[in-house]
Amino acid sequence: MTPHPPNPLPGVTVIGIGADGWDGLAPASRDALDTAHVVIGGARQLALLPDACGGERVPWPTPLRPAVPALLEAHRGRRVAVLASGDPMFYGIGRTLTEVLGAPPRVLPHPSSLSYACARLGWAVEETEVVTVVGRPLARIAAALHDGRRLLVLSAGADTPADVAALLRDRGFGPSRMRVLERLGSADERCVEGAADGWDADPGDALNVIAVDCLRGPETLRLGAVPGLPDAAYEHDGQLTKRHIRAATLGALAPAPGELLWDIGGGSGSIAVEWMRTHPSCRALTVERDPVRADRIARNAGRLGVPALRVVTGAAPAALAQLPTPDAVFIGGGLTAPGLLAACWDALPVGGRLVANTVTLESEALLAEWYRRHGGELVRLAVAHAVPVGGFTGWRQAMPVTQWCVTKPDPTDLSPGAAT
């Protein structure tokens, strides 16, 4: 947890600045810098200011986030100007300062790299997908790859375009058109263009964004935007919640932005992966006792664009100790382990959801007992596939899955239906 100063610091102004430097600043931003006692920013940003501007110049230390509270406290009572690239509230320092100060500082934004890039490309901002790889894994891009979509990648440096091209080729989007837009807003803007398949441009300016017109290769597996990805999208050893059951399970879990899922008995990680793919802010951790499968889950997560999936290697319920409170729990294996259901139930807050799937009579009996005690929904899901039968076609029935879905009630709520 980041420590906060005892009281919000007055006199902090956050100023967005572009590659055009001082010349591109509005009068209010120039005035805030001219009258500041202290100007804090990155070395590149500070170098954009004229020598006569502002007071003491303080470069951000590395790592930045842990140093922010003490640095601001050291200048309490002085007028502090903080420089940020473009719009400080768009993947910028503005959010960090708001959290540290406990209230939003005064913010004077500059056009963001997103606004500049869309203006140059003729793209509608509201229809452009944005992924940042600044301090984040490059694999996150994979979740945003859909045929025909426009994607803007906020770059981590001069080498990022080549890395993005390699990822596009690896994920079957090699035909995609890439445009690297450098030093947007400056007098020496530059655009480098090419297809990911043949990308061979030398590293250019570190200040760049990458525009991608996504084009899926003809042999690439199509991945949709809703739960129920093809089973072939996963590396697995047979321990995989199959596509149709997976879609029904995610529907019962009902992920919402920002929520955390516990996936118990991860297998191949498909439930946690598709929970996280529903929204960039969704979080998940999966508990898997087999180290080989745990490694496989991590590979699937990276491959499908959710590398932040946390894999806990260990047996539940012991491995559940000290984990953050979940919004929802899925139990896909190990239901009969002593104390597992009780531990998951106890971990859930009021309003949290629990979904458990099983194919065995023993686990089904356990779910029936918990359904009797706590309500919810108990359903049986059956899927059959058409298969050849000699020269004809018949149905092959998969093992039926019993599913219990329940929302944890408020124990003080005695109204009818509160337990469901």
Side-chain angles (χ1 to χ4, degrees):
M1 181 178 294
T2 302
H4 285 209
N7 298 297
L9 289 171
V12 176
T13 301
V14 188
I15 300 156
I17 189 168
D20 48 358
W22 182 260
D23 291 341
L25 292 177
S29 297
R30 292 187 181 187
D31 181 66
L33 287 165
D34 275 332
T35 58
H37 298 133
V38 180
V39 180
I40 304 174
R44 180 183 60 79
Q45 296 155 348
L46 292 172
L48 294 171
L49 302 181
D51 293 339
C53 172
E56 178 186 356
R57 299 190 184 189
V58 179
W60 285 116
T62 302
L64 185 152
R65 179 61 186 256
V68 170
L71 187 58
L72 293 181
E73 184 62 29
H75 298 290
R76 176 181 285 275
R78 307 175 76 189
R79 285 193 298 275
V80 176
V82 177
L83 289 175
S85 293
D87 185 345
M89 303 307 295
F90 181 66
Y91 293 104
I93 191 65
R95 174 180 175 178
T96 299
L97 291 176
T98 298
E99 293 171 352
V100 169
L101 295 171
R106 181 188 183 207
V107 176
L108 302 175
H110 189 274
S112 68
S113 57
L114 169 63
S115 296
Y116 270 123
C118 287
R120 301 295 185 266
L121 299 165
W123 291 2
V125 173
E126 71 275 12
E127 295 178 2
T128 301
E129 185 88 12
V130 180
V131 178
T132 180
V133 296
V134 180
R136 297 169 174 85
L138 191 79
R140 299 173 73 247
I141 295 172
L145 297 180
H146 297 284
D147 202 33
R149 291 294 292 169
R150 291 168 168 173
L151 174 65
L152 196 71
V153 180
L154 305 185
S155 176
D159 294 328
T160 302
D163 294 338
V164 170
L167 181 139
L168 291 171
R169 293 192 296 269
D170 181 66
R171 300 304 197 274
F173 279 76
S176 299
R177 178 189 186 190
M178 288 177 52
R179 281 171 281 184
V180 179
L181 306 167
E182 299 178 350
R183 296 185 57 79
L184 284 166
S186 72
D188 57 349
E189 277 189 21
R190 188 174 79 125
C191 177
V192 181
E193 181 176 341
D197 271 339
W199 190 264
D200 60 357
D202 293 330
D205 196 278
L207 191 63
N208 70 79
V209 296
I210 305 153
V212 181
D213 291 281
C214 297
L215 184 60
R216 178 168 48 90
E219 304 300 321
T220 301
L221 186 67
R222 183 182 182 278
L223 303 181
V226 299
L229 298 183
D231 293 346
Y234 293 94
E235 177 188 348
H236 64 90
D237 60 0
Q239 291 296 312
L240 174 72
T241 302
K242 299 302 189 290
R243 180 179 193 175
H244 300 92
I245 300 300
R246 190 184 330 125
T249 299
L250 267 296
L253 286 166
E259 289 190 325
L260 173 65
L261 172 73
W262 284 5
D263 177 11
I264 312 298
S268 301
S270 62
I271 296 294
V273 165
E274 295 190 30
W275 168 283
M276 292 184 69
R277 281 174 60 93
T278 62
H279 193 272
S281 67
C282 282
R283 300 164 295 134
L285 58 85
T286 183
V287 179
E288 172 55 56
R289 65 181 180 181
D290 185 335
V292 174
R293 288 179 178 160
D295 289 343
R296 187 179 293 123
I297 291 170
R299 290 195 297 273
N300 281 329
R303 182 81 186 165
L304 293 168
V306 288
L309 172 59
R310 178 181 170 189
V311 183
V312 178
T313 305
L320 306 181
Q322 308 303 316
L323 295 183
T325 301
D327 297 288
V329 175
F330 171 65
I331 307 175
L335 263 172
T336 56
L340 176 58
L341 258 174
C344 292
W345 186 258
D346 291 343
L348 276 175
V350 171
R353 290 96 63 202
L354 188 148
V355 176
N357 290 357
T358 188
V359 296
T360 70
L361 292 175
E362 292 79 7
S363 294
E364 185 179 86
L366 182 63
L367 292 185
E369 173 59 21
W370 277 73
Y371 169 68
R372 184 188 66 79
R373 289 161 51 189
H374 297 287
E377 290 184 298
L378 190 65
V379 299
R380 177 166 288 180
L381 306 172
V383 176
H385 296 272
V387 297
V389 180
F392 299 93
T393 304
W395 293 107
R396 176 169 294 164
Q397 186 78 36
M399 292 184 68
V401 175
T402 298
Q403 182 181 90
W404 180 48
C405 175
V406 65
T407 299
K408 188 171 182 178
D410 184 340
T412 64
D413 185 358
L414 301 179
S415 61
T420 62

